[in-house]
Amino acid sequence: EAQLEESGGGWVQAGESLRLSCVTSGFTFEQHDIAWFRQAPGKKREGVACVSPSDSETSYSDSVKGRFTISSDNAKNTVYLQMNSLKPEDTAVYYCAADKVGYGCRAGYAGAIDYWGKGTLVNVSS
């Protein structure tokens, strides 16, 4: 079965950095787009970043563009999210997600995602 396991979350001060990792298995990595979503308390789950491992094409939500970088290591079936200049509003549980069709990843639409990880908590204090 498909599996996505996030790691790297933690507690940081505003302005600091974290790198999240998502190790995947059980599906053809390069035939899926891989996304990071996040969900803050009381908020809906929103798309943050998307990468297509087949060609390294990336996209980002407006709220993180210029601060976060998504990348893939295809040999390890792993996706990373480098998070710089973190803000308190970035506080959320961050989820790794796989999308065969691609719309959910590209548009940040959780309803179109095929496989989800369990999430890792990022807490940014002011």
Side-chain angles (χ1 to χ4, degrees), residues 76-104:
K76 294 180 168 59
N77 294 336
T78 298
V79 169
Y80 303 96
L81 186 67
Q82 179 66 46
M83 310 166 68
N84 297 329
S85 302
L86 282 162
K87 304 175 180 179
E89 51 262 48
D90 296 319
T91 295
V93 176
Y94 283 72
Y95 299 90
C96 188
D99 182 1
K100 174 65 175 178
V101 174
Y103 176 76

Side-chain angles (χ1 to χ4, degrees), residues 15-76:
E16 295 182 341
S17 298
L18 283 173
R19 190 179 76 157
L20 307 183
S21 298
C22 173
V23 178
T24 75
S25 62
F27 64 95
T28 305
F29 184 75
E30 293 195 32
Q31 293 182 1
H32 291 72
D33 291 345
I34 311 296
W36 287 97
F37 285 74
R38 68 186 182 187
Q39 189 163 20
K43 303 290 186 64
K44 67 179 181 66
R45 191 169 297 189
E46 63 174 345
V48 174
C50 174
V51 63
S52 299
S54 61
D55 61 7
S56 298
E57 181 179 350
T58 61
S59 61
Y60 301 90
S61 67
D62 289 341
S63 62
V64 309
K65 196 172 300 180
R67 299 188 296 121
F68 292 8
T69 303
I70 188 170
S71 61
S72 65
D73 184 338
N74 295 1
K76 294 180 168 59

